Amino acid sequence: MSFEPKILAFCCHHCAYGAADLSGVLRLQYPVNIQIIRVPCSGRISEEHILDAFVKGADGVCVAGCLKGNCHYQSGNLRAGKRVEILKNRLADIGIEPERLHMFYVSAGMGAPFARFMAELVETIRDLGPAFNGQEREGGEQLDSRTS
Amino acid sequence: MSIGPAAKVIEARTGSRLEKVLRAGHFAVTAEIGPPKGADGRRIQQLAALVKDYSDAQNLTDNQTAVVRLCSLAAAVHVLNSGGEPVLQMTTRDRNRIALQSDLLGAASLGVRNVLCLSGDHQRFGNHPEAKGVFDLDSVQLTATVRQMREERLFICGEEIKAPPRVFVGAVENPFAGPVELRVLRLGKKVMAGAEFIQTQVVYDVEGFARWMDTVCAAGWHKKTFILAGVTPPRSAGALRYMSRIPGMKVPEELIRRMEKASDKLREGQRIALEIINQVRAIAGVSGVHIMAINWEEAVPEIVSMAGLYPRP
Amino acid sequence: MILARPKTVSSILALVGGMKSLVVAGCQECVTVCQSGGRKEVSCVAQLLEIAGKKRGFPFEIAQVTVFRQCDNECLVPLDALMEKADACISLGCGVGVQFIAERYPTVMVIPGVDTVGGGGTVMSGVWEERCAMCGECILAETTGICPVTRCAKGLLNGPCGGSVDGRCEAGTDLPCAWEMIYHRLKKQGRLDSLRRIRPPKNWAHSGSGAMRKVIREEVMPCLSALPLK
Ligand code: SF4
Ligand code: SF4
């Protein structure tokens, strides 16, 4: 059976959520692997929320905020971008592929690009495989050899 | 520790040749020798032999720019053995008050008669940027310590010294850094702490130096200490440009252009050094020059001869 | 406050390799303010450890707790039950907190999750700067409230070195020269004369380079007669 990744998308109410809506109105297809959570601003999303998604089984997470300069709260999207950037490093530090986490900047009118981004993200994560497959232990790898 | 105004003019009593020359009113010449990055004492002996007749004393740098080199105390002994007159440079960057006082006693016991007190370039610039900087004392405190050990025969802690170190004490100043008022205050502080001679940062900007000397003379510090202007013969325009980027260095643009145009760079470099020597000599309150021709010590005899400062008294 | 900066989670993972049960402990004081060891940071570190554990196929059991103050024995009570079954505790408190936890639970390995930097404050959101090296003998009255021990790269006490240029410190172009700052402020206060005073060598025995320092004030100690006899 092929691997179907679970991906969580935190979408800003003012832009990305609208873009998702528009892509639906335009009857554009994007994979069902994406689950959207509407947030008042991408800047509302902290490291904790993203990590929680991974802990609870997400294989990939994306944060989608307004185009740079268009945030309804001035700089929430830029903050979110910074947090994502730093969190990517922290994920890489513990051996998780940083590509599992993405930041998108879109406007409410970008229905088609939104659908395309999501499709691409699903492909990226599908290629990476599940975040935790528990296979390493069966492969006989020493537990602490990954971390030392 | 009692630090009082130690800046009383006293008769030569350290047995230092540099002190004798200065107190006799001669225009002094000192030269710098950079110890090698290896256990090669012969190199220092060769350099000492080369410059000793053309200078009254020879400075041995103490791990200059925080790069590990043969230690200045051992280098000073090599100079002594070659018939020279060492000026032992001591920075407070690498040693605490115990080591500094101990080194001073050792140096004096071996016949070293001059010390120069500095705080030292920050370790961040050297080849061991991860080193812990000591800075238990600062250069003013070290200067005062040497005077206290010599005259009051007391260690910093107040214990008596049976055989005090008889050394002539110097310090450094940078005429080009920071607000002039602050710089002159700081010079005065070093003199009050007991600095009997001052060697300055390299002078290329003679006008700026003259302005600084005006303020120094107005405060009367030139009467309480001997000021030796730093001179470095440039080897190339690139060398000058590099120096112009070092914090606290001022190099006039026209000097760089002049070096660029010169066909014989080395000759031109010597000529520039010669001109600067003649210019600073004419400035009131300047008692000598300190020639820093690191890695080009061979230039010293010629520059000194051309300046009419040879033979030395 | 005490400034601290997070260590990498991989460096913690390297120490807890074969372990199962971990406690990640935060502190609500300084490290909360400098955002390196408060409740939120505890949650992030715990989650990262959890993700790493799952990735290896051998998840940790992680408890999170953020106490009022790690450097006070009384405040550590909430850890008692958790520490009973813990293989290790990762403390995001400063070095003091780590040591107080280690003292209270001597049989459990305690791992610092932050690097403790020094005494400082918030300059702007996201930027913290050191101000006090805790030398044990404060001279700020004479230096116009600017600490040369901390802010001068060489800790000089008698004015600037020769490397100070245009108000910048020779040790880094992004740092102001402490002594030039002191000079300007003294001038503003009409106290330039104090720059002329030669400040004698400092007593570093009071500083961190002496023996461990201890502050004892009998008037605040419990009355001896009220203590149980030894
Ligand atoms: S002088 Fe000492 S106690 Fe005072 S601020 Fe500086 S380091 Fe801290
Ligand atoms: S430049 Fe100023 S702050 Fe920097 S080491 Fe020198 S005196 Fe201290």
mmCIF file of all heavy atoms in Angstrom, chain B residues 119-120 122 135 183 186, chain C residues 148 151-156 159-165 167-172 175-181, ligand 2:
data_model
loop_
_atom_site.group_PDB
_atom_site.id
_atom_site.type_symbol
_atom_site.label_atom_id
_atom_site.label_comp_id
_atom_site.label_asym_id
_atom_site.label_seq_id
_atom_site.Cartn_x
_atom_site.Cartn_y
_atom_site.Cartn_z
ATOM 1 N N SER B 119 48.529 46.880 28.059
ATOM 2 C CA SER B 119 47.446 45.932 28.342
ATOM 3 C C SER B 119 47.483 44.801 27.311
ATOM 4 O O SER B 119 47.177 43.665 27.622
ATOM 5 C CB SER B 119 46.078 46.624 28.349
ATOM 6 O OG SER B 119 45.847 47.300 27.152
ATOM 7 N N GLY B 120 47.900 45.099 26.088
ATOM 8 C CA GLY B 120 48.017 44.047 25.070
ATOM 9 C C GLY B 120 46.809 43.986 24.156
ATOM 10 O O GLY B 120 45.693 44.283 24.574
ATOM 11 N N HIS B 122 43.722 42.543 22.210
ATOM 12 C CA HIS B 122 42.736 41.565 22.681
ATOM 13 C C HIS B 122 42.994 40.194 22.059
ATOM 14 O O HIS B 122 43.325 40.102 20.881
ATOM 15 C CB HIS B 122 41.323 42.040 22.327
ATOM 16 C CG HIS B 122 40.257 41.323 23.091
ATOM 17 N ND1 HIS B 122 39.672 40.172 22.629
ATOM 18 C CD2 HIS B 122 39.712 41.572 24.307
ATOM 19 C CE1 HIS B 122 38.790 39.751 23.526
ATOM 20 N NE2 HIS B 122 38.787 40.584 24.547
ATOM 21 N N PHE B 135 44.035 39.977 32.251
ATOM 22 C CA PHE B 135 43.718 41.360 32.639
ATOM 23 C C PHE B 135 43.419 41.495 34.131
ATOM 24 O O PHE B 135 42.452 42.130 34.532
ATOM 25 C CB PHE B 135 42.545 41.905 31.796
ATOM 26 C CG PHE B 135 42.818 41.886 30.319
ATOM 27 C CD1 PHE B 135 42.113 41.039 29.469
ATOM 28 C CD2 PHE B 135 43.796 42.718 29.769
ATOM 29 C CE1 PHE B 135 42.378 41.012 28.099
ATOM 30 C CE2 PHE B 135 44.062 42.693 28.400
ATOM 31 C CZ PHE B 135 43.349 41.845 27.573
ATOM 32 N N ARG B 183 42.451 61.057 25.543
ATOM 33 C CA ARG B 183 43.772 60.489 25.292
ATOM 34 C C ARG B 183 44.842 61.172 26.132
ATOM 35 O O ARG B 183 45.761 60.545 26.623
ATOM 36 C CB ARG B 183 44.115 60.614 23.800
ATOM 37 C CG ARG B 183 43.396 59.614 22.958
ATOM 38 C CD ARG B 183 43.869 58.223 23.274
ATOM 39 N NE ARG B 183 42.749 57.311 23.233
ATOM 40 C CZ ARG B 183 42.789 56.061 23.676
ATOM 41 N NH1 ARG B 183 43.904 55.581 24.191
ATOM 42 N NH2 ARG B 183 41.742 55.297 23.616
ATOM 43 N N ARG B 186 44.529 60.226 29.718
ATOM 44 C CA ARG B 186 45.041 58.872 29.907
ATOM 45 C C ARG B 186 46.567 58.885 29.934
ATOM 46 O O ARG B 186 47.181 58.185 30.735
ATOM 47 C CB ARG B 186 44.522 58.015 28.756
ATOM 48 C CG ARG B 186 45.091 56.651 28.693
ATOM 49 C CD ARG B 186 44.052 55.624 29.016
ATOM 50 N NE ARG B 186 44.522 54.296 28.648
ATOM 51 C CZ ARG B 186 44.729 53.343 29.538
ATOM 52 N NH1 ARG B 186 44.523 53.575 30.816
ATOM 53 N NH2 ARG B 186 45.142 52.158 29.147
ATOM 54 N N PRO C 148 32.847 48.737 33.631
ATOM 55 C CA PRO C 148 33.983 48.416 32.777
ATOM 56 C C PRO C 148 34.422 46.959 32.925
ATOM 57 O O PRO C 148 35.009 46.392 32.007
ATOM 58 C CB PRO C 148 35.077 49.367 33.258
ATOM 59 C CG PRO C 148 34.731 49.687 34.668
ATOM 60 C CD PRO C 148 33.241 49.576 34.776
ATOM 61 N N ARG C 151 31.734 45.476 30.480
ATOM 62 C CA ARG C 151 31.548 46.024 29.136
ATOM 63 C C ARG C 151 32.837 46.363 28.427
ATOM 64 O O ARG C 151 32.847 46.512 27.204
ATOM 65 C CB ARG C 151 30.626 47.245 29.206
ATOM 66 C CG ARG C 151 29.292 46.864 29.853
ATOM 67 C CD ARG C 151 28.257 47.906 29.679
ATOM 68 N NE ARG C 151 27.805 47.976 28.303
ATOM 69 C CZ ARG C 151 26.864 48.794 27.881
ATOM 70 N NH1 ARG C 151 26.299 49.620 28.722
ATOM 71 N NH2 ARG C 151 26.500 48.814 26.627
ATOM 72 N N CYS C 152 33.940 46.529 29.154
ATOM 73 C CA CYS C 152 35.238 46.700 28.494
ATOM 74 C C CYS C 152 35.776 45.301 28.234
ATOM 75 O O CYS C 152 35.808 44.470 29.138
ATOM 76 C CB CYS C 152 36.198 47.483 29.395
ATOM 77 S SG CYS C 152 37.912 47.410 28.847
ATOM 78 N N ALA C 153 36.172 45.046 26.985
ATOM 79 C CA ALA C 153 36.590 43.695 26.616
ATOM 80 C C ALA C 153 37.809 43.242 27.396
ATOM 81 O O ALA C 153 38.105 42.053 27.472
ATOM 82 C CB ALA C 153 36.870 43.625 25.122
ATOM 83 N N LYS C 154 38.543 44.213 27.969
ATOM 84 C CA LYS C 154 39.720 43.842 28.744
ATOM 85 C C LYS C 154 39.509 44.094 30.230
ATOM 86 O O LYS C 154 40.431 43.942 31.022
ATOM 87 C CB LYS C 154 40.937 44.639 28.257
ATOM 88 C CG LYS C 154 41.308 44.361 26.804
ATOM 89 C CD LYS C 154 42.458 45.246 26.351
ATOM 90 C CE LYS C 154 42.695 45.075 24.857
ATOM 91 N NZ LYS C 154 43.652 46.090 24.361
ATOM 92 N N GLY C 155 38.323 44.518 30.591
ATOM 93 C CA GLY C 155 38.047 44.777 32.004
ATOM 94 C C GLY C 155 38.976 45.814 32.605
ATOM 95 O O GLY C 155 39.313 45.749 33.788
ATOM 96 N N LEU C 156 39.376 46.797 31.803
ATOM 97 C CA LEU C 156 40.318 47.809 32.292
ATOM 98 C C LEU C 156 39.639 48.720 33.309
ATOM 99 O O LEU C 156 38.440 48.975 33.224
ATOM 100 C CB LEU C 156 40.846 48.647 31.120
ATOM 101 C CG LEU C 156 41.482 47.864 29.968
ATOM 102 C CD1 LEU C 156 41.910 48.819 28.858
ATOM 103 C CD2 LEU C 156 42.665 47.050 30.456
ATOM 104 N N GLY C 159 40.704 53.592 32.343
ATOM 105 C CA GLY C 159 40.551 54.284 31.073
ATOM 106 C C GLY C 159 40.757 53.359 29.897
ATOM 107 O O GLY C 159 41.066 52.179 30.066
ATOM 108 N N PRO C 160 40.545 53.886 28.682
ATOM 109 C CA PRO C 160 40.516 53.042 27.495
ATOM 110 C C PRO C 160 41.897 52.549 27.084
ATOM 111 O O PRO C 160 42.914 53.151 27.408
ATOM 112 C CB PRO C 160 39.971 53.983 26.419
ATOM 113 C CG PRO C 160 40.425 55.330 26.853
ATOM 114 C CD PRO C 160 40.363 55.309 28.356
ATOM 115 N N CYS C 161 41.914 51.456 26.329
ATOM 116 C CA CYS C 161 43.156 50.995 25.740
ATOM 117 C C CYS C 161 43.384 51.763 24.442
ATOM 118 O O CYS C 161 42.586 52.616 24.063
ATOM 119 C CB CYS C 161 43.108 49.492 25.483
ATOM 120 S SG CYS C 161 42.050 49.010 24.109
ATOM 121 N N GLY C 162 44.459 51.426 23.742
ATOM 122 C CA GLY C 162 44.798 52.159 22.529
ATOM 123 C C GLY C 162 43.972 51.746 21.328
ATOM 124 O O GLY C 162 44.076 52.339 20.262
ATOM 125 N N GLY C 163 43.141 50.727 21.500
ATOM 126 C CA GLY C 163 42.420 50.212 20.331
ATOM 127 C C GLY C 163 41.035 50.791 20.157
ATOM 128 O O GLY C 163 40.334 50.470 19.208
ATOM 129 N N SER C 164 40.644 51.673 21.086
ATOM 130 C CA SER C 164 39.309 52.252 20.995
ATOM 131 C C SER C 164 39.296 53.329 19.915
ATOM 132 O O SER C 164 40.063 54.280 19.973
ATOM 133 C CB SER C 164 38.941 52.827 22.367
ATOM 134 O OG SER C 164 38.381 54.097 22.255
ATOM 135 N N VAL C 165 38.454 53.141 18.906
ATOM 136 C CA VAL C 165 38.437 54.081 17.792
ATOM 137 C C VAL C 165 37.009 54.514 17.480
ATOM 138 O O VAL C 165 36.124 53.674 17.322
ATOM 139 C CB VAL C 165 39.031 53.437 16.524
ATOM 140 C CG1 VAL C 165 38.978 54.431 15.374
ATOM 141 C CG2 VAL C 165 40.447 53.027 16.784
ATOM 142 N N GLY C 167 34.803 55.527 19.273
ATOM 143 C CA GLY C 167 33.838 55.014 20.229
ATOM 144 C C GLY C 167 33.574 53.525 20.130
ATOM 145 O O GLY C 167 32.727 52.996 20.834
ATOM 146 N N ARG C 168 34.311 52.831 19.246
ATOM 147 C CA ARG C 168 34.100 51.391 19.101
ATOM 148 C C ARG C 168 35.208 50.635 19.836
ATOM 149 O O ARG C 168 36.349 51.081 19.873
ATOM 150 C CB ARG C 168 34.139 50.971 17.625
ATOM 151 C CG ARG C 168 33.142 51.684 16.741
ATOM 152 C CD ARG C 168 31.790 51.013 16.768
ATOM 153 N NE ARG C 168 30.855 51.828 17.516
ATOM 154 C CZ ARG C 168 29.661 51.411 17.920
ATOM 155 N NH1 ARG C 168 29.266 50.189 17.661
ATOM 156 N NH2 ARG C 168 28.869 52.196 18.587
ATOM 157 N N CYS C 169 34.856 49.460 20.353
ATOM 158 C CA CYS C 169 35.843 48.641 21.056
ATOM 159 C C CYS C 169 36.683 47.872 20.053
ATOM 160 O O CYS C 169 36.171 47.398 19.046
ATOM 161 C CB CYS C 169 35.136 47.661 21.980
ATOM 162 S SG CYS C 169 36.225 46.403 22.660
ATOM 163 N N GLU C 170 37.971 47.712 20.364
ATOM 164 C CA GLU C 170 38.849 47.011 19.432
ATOM 165 C C GLU C 170 38.475 45.538 19.295
ATOM 166 O O GLU C 170 38.792 44.902 18.310
ATOM 167 C CB GLU C 170 40.312 47.140 19.860
ATOM 168 C CG GLU C 170 40.712 46.264 21.049
ATOM 169 C CD GLU C 170 42.228 46.090 21.183
ATOM 170 O OE1 GLU C 170 42.965 47.038 20.875
ATOM 171 O OE2 GLU C 170 42.649 45.003 21.601
ATOM 172 N N ALA C 171 37.782 45.015 20.298
ATOM 173 C CA ALA C 171 37.485 43.585 20.261
ATOM 174 C C ALA C 171 36.293 43.243 19.366
ATOM 175 O O ALA C 171 36.021 42.091 19.121
ATOM 176 C CB ALA C 171 37.240 43.060 21.666
ATOM 177 N N GLY C 172 35.576 44.250 18.894
ATOM 178 C CA GLY C 172 34.454 43.949 18.015
ATOM 179 C C GLY C 172 33.804 45.231 17.568
ATOM 180 O O GLY C 172 33.463 46.067 18.388
ATOM 181 N N LEU C 175 30.594 46.583 19.186
ATOM 182 C CA LEU C 175 30.539 46.922 20.602
ATOM 183 C C LEU C 175 31.052 48.341 20.833
ATOM 184 O O LEU C 175 32.089 48.718 20.309
ATOM 185 C CB LEU C 175 31.426 45.965 21.415
ATOM 186 C CG LEU C 175 31.039 44.498 21.450
ATOM 187 C CD1 LEU C 175 32.145 43.687 22.092
ATOM 188 C CD2 LEU C 175 29.743 44.317 22.203
ATOM 189 N N PRO C 176 30.317 49.112 21.635
ATOM 190 C CA PRO C 176 30.857 50.428 21.973
ATOM 191 C C PRO C 176 32.006 50.280 22.966
ATOM 192 O O PRO C 176 32.032 49.330 23.743
ATOM 193 C CB PRO C 176 29.667 51.134 22.629
ATOM 194 C CG PRO C 176 28.790 50.040 23.132
ATOM 195 C CD PRO C 176 29.021 48.837 22.258
ATOM 196 N N CYS C 177 32.977 51.201 22.915
ATOM 197 C CA CYS C 177 34.059 51.190 23.899
ATOM 198 C C CYS C 177 33.486 51.682 25.225
ATOM 199 O O CYS C 177 32.990 52.799 25.331
ATOM 200 C CB CYS C 177 35.221 52.073 23.459
ATOM 201 S SG CYS C 177 36.415 52.378 24.786
ATOM 202 N N ALA C 178 33.551 50.831 26.232
ATOM 203 C CA ALA C 178 32.967 51.164 27.536
ATOM 204 C C ALA C 178 33.603 52.428 28.102
ATOM 205 O O ALA C 178 32.920 53.275 28.690
ATOM 206 C CB ALA C 178 33.163 50.002 28.503
ATOM 207 N N TRP C 179 34.900 52.559 27.905
ATOM 208 C CA TRP C 179 35.583 53.695 28.515
ATOM 209 C C TRP C 179 35.267 55.006 27.830
ATOM 210 O O TRP C 179 35.283 56.056 28.441
ATOM 211 C CB TRP C 179 37.091 53.442 28.614
ATOM 212 C CG TRP C 179 37.353 52.682 29.872
ATOM 213 C CD1 TRP C 179 37.635 51.357 30.001
ATOM 214 C CD2 TRP C 179 37.281 53.214 31.210
ATOM 215 N NE1 TRP C 179 37.743 51.026 31.323
ATOM 216 C CE2 TRP C 179 37.537 52.146 32.090
ATOM 217 C CE3 TRP C 179 37.025 54.472 31.743
ATOM 218 C CZ2 TRP C 179 37.546 52.307 33.479
ATOM 219 C CZ3 TRP C 179 37.034 54.639 33.116
ATOM 220 C CH2 TRP C 179 37.290 53.563 33.972
ATOM 221 N N GLU C 180 34.977 54.922 26.538
ATOM 222 C CA GLU C 180 34.568 56.152 25.899
ATOM 223 C C GLU C 180 33.164 56.533 26.370
ATOM 224 O O GLU C 180 32.849 57.704 26.566
ATOM 225 C CB GLU C 180 34.644 56.044 24.373
ATOM 226 C CG GLU C 180 34.823 57.433 23.795
ATOM 227 C CD GLU C 180 35.188 57.470 22.336
ATOM 228 O OE1 GLU C 180 36.058 56.682 21.919
ATOM 229 O OE2 GLU C 180 34.603 58.286 21.615
ATOM 230 N N MET C 181 32.315 55.551 26.609
ATOM 231 C CA MET C 181 30.984 55.828 27.161
ATOM 232 C C MET C 181 31.116 56.476 28.540
ATOM 233 O O MET C 181 30.419 57.451 28.863
ATOM 234 C CB MET C 181 30.176 54.522 27.296
ATOM 235 C CG MET C 181 29.725 53.917 25.983
ATOM 236 S SD MET C 181 29.179 52.202 26.193
ATOM 237 C CE MET C 181 27.702 52.450 27.155
HETATM 238 S S1 SF4 D 2 38.370 49.522 23.121
HETATM 239 FE FE1 SF4 D 2 37.439 50.286 25.006
HETATM 240 S S2 SF4 D 2 36.045 48.647 25.647
HETATM 241 FE FE2 SF4 D 2 37.382 47.775 24.116
HETATM 242 S S3 SF4 D 2 39.070 46.842 25.268
HETATM 243 FE FE3 SF4 D 2 39.737 48.925 24.760
HETATM 244 S S4 SF4 D 2 39.107 50.171 26.470
HETATM 245 FE FE4 SF4 D 2 38.007 48.258 26.661
#
